[in-house]
Amino acid sequence: MKVLVTGISGYIGSLVATELQRRGHTVSGFARRPQRVTLDVPVVCGDAVTGDGLNEALAGIEVAYFLIHSMEPGSADGFGVRERAAAERFAGAARRAGVSRIVYLGGPAPPNGVGVTPSPHLASRLAVERVLLDGVPGSVALRASIVIGARSRAFRFLVHLIERLPVLILPAWGENRGMPIDERDVVSALVACAEDPRAAGRVLEAAGPDIVSYGRLIARIADAMLVARPSIGSRRLSVTPIAARVAAVIAGEQPELIEPLMESLETDLLPVNPLASEMLGTRLHSLDSAIEHALAEWERVEPLAAR
């Protein structure tokens, strides 16, 4: 197939494009900064928020990956507004170009219940999902929680906290649960979403095989790093802009990215029907295998200070 990968210069986009090429598909890319693309593929320079370059990039494309997220510093209008604008322009251009399927990687939905609402971060992902599915009816949305990988921003954030804090103070969300997934399994599922006709028009929930609290996830990562980090839980400590900024500074991350991510963890994020792996034929790695693989990949390019 002729496949367009937006976000091809990013973490997941580059891995998906590489796997698509390996499986014999013709891949092209779409990026605001083509000079950052490391793969040998044609790349159209453009911006999905403004629509620049979309018509050129989507011409002749059969399947298009929408892997664009707008959680960026300096977005005065908010990442939700930017993401929705990008999704609407992308879906419209894809429909006009005759694209048969858009594949989108989004986030999990919080549990249904009175008083439970998605964080702004997750609400934006769900809104984008609906725009794309409505725009091109054969599209597929894959929902995934924390991705375990050497270049995953969420995973790197946790590793840096473990490296740099002698004692880990876990907010109230440390007791909430999720199902982190290995980057290899996410990439496999995303590629299958383009190839499997049964996925058309579906929302699929991708999840690893282990259900863990976020506090336990941090402990498992620390164990794999061979470091001892006592932790203190605090039910009274919640996510605030100040807490997020302090954590971001400690981890060397941008507060504008960390605060929305931390807000997303304030409820359990367990898939209601995690049938993506079964339907798409994806074999899942265990959480410990995912963590070890991510740390090994990390150490190939940079040292782990605490290991």
Side-chain angles (χ1 to χ4, degrees), residues 28 58 64 91 98 102 106 110-112 129 138 178 194 201-203 225 266 273 290:
S28 58
L58 289 163
I102 297 172
N112 293 324
E129 174 185 291
R202 303 287 295 272
V203 174
M225 292 170 65
E266 293 197 311
N273 192 9

Side-chain angles (χ1 to χ4, degrees), residues 197-216:
R198 297 173 299 171
R202 303 287 295 272
V203 174
L204 300 174
E205 296 182 284
D210 298 75
I211 298 176
V212 292
S213 69
Y214 300 116
R216 186 56 192 153

Side-chain angles (χ1 to χ4, degrees), residues 16 44 53 118 123 164 223 235-237 240 243 253 284 296 303:
V16 168
V44 173
R164 297 168 186 178
D223 287 344
R235 292 181 178 271
R236 292 179 294 177
L237 182 61
T240 67
E253 267 289 4
L284 297 174

Side-chain angles (χ1 to χ4, degrees), residues 39-238:
L39 303 175
D40 184 19
V41 299
V43 180
V44 173
C45 179
D47 187 334
V49 177
T50 63
D52 292 343
L54 284 179
N55 292 336
E56 178 187 353
L58 289 163
I61 294 297
E62 297 168 78
V63 175
Y65 281 83
F66 189 84
L67 304 176
I68 299 171
H69 296 147
S70 297
M71 289 164 56
E72 300 172 342
S75 299
D77 51 357
F79 61 81
V81 173
R82 290 173 58 84
E83 286 192 332
R84 187 175 183 90
E88 289 172 346
R89 288 189 170 88
F90 189 83
R95 185 171 57 251
R96 292 190 299 272
V99 172
S100 61
R101 180 174 298 187
I102 297 172
V103 179
Y104 173 60
L105 176 63
N112 293 324
V114 177
V116 178
T117 58
S119 70
H121 165 58
L122 292 180
S124 178
R125 298 291 186 266
L126 296 172
V128 167
E129 174 185 291
R130 182 43 49 198
V131 168
L132 297 175
L133 289 173
D134 289 346
V136 176
S139 298
V140 186
L142 186 72
R143 296 175 179 174
S145 185
I146 294 177
V147 176
I148 305 297
R151 294 164 57 198
S152 163
R153 298 295 285 270
F155 180 74
R156 293 181 68 84
F157 170 65
L158 296 179
V159 169
H160 283 317
L161 287 182
I162 293 166
E163 284 186 314
R164 297 168 186 178
L165 288 174
V167 177
L168 297 169
I169 302 175
L170 299 179
W173 54 255
E175 296 181 5
N176 296 331
R177 300 168 300 157
M179 298 177 73
I181 186 167
D182 191 306
E183 70 172 28
R184 294 168 291 183
D185 301 335
V186 169
V187 171
S188 178
L190 283 168
V191 172
C193 283
E195 298 174 332
D196 195 325
R198 297 173 299 171
R202 303 287 295 272
V203 174
L204 300 174
E205 296 182 284
D210 298 75
I211 298 176
V212 292
S213 69
Y214 300 116
R216 186 56 192 153
L217 171 61
I218 292 172
R220 297 268 281 268
I221 295 172
D223 287 344
M225 292 170 65
L226 305 179
V227 297
R229 289 292 184 268
S231 63
I232 301 172
S234 175
R235 292 181 178 271
R236 292 179 294 177
L237 182 61
S238 61

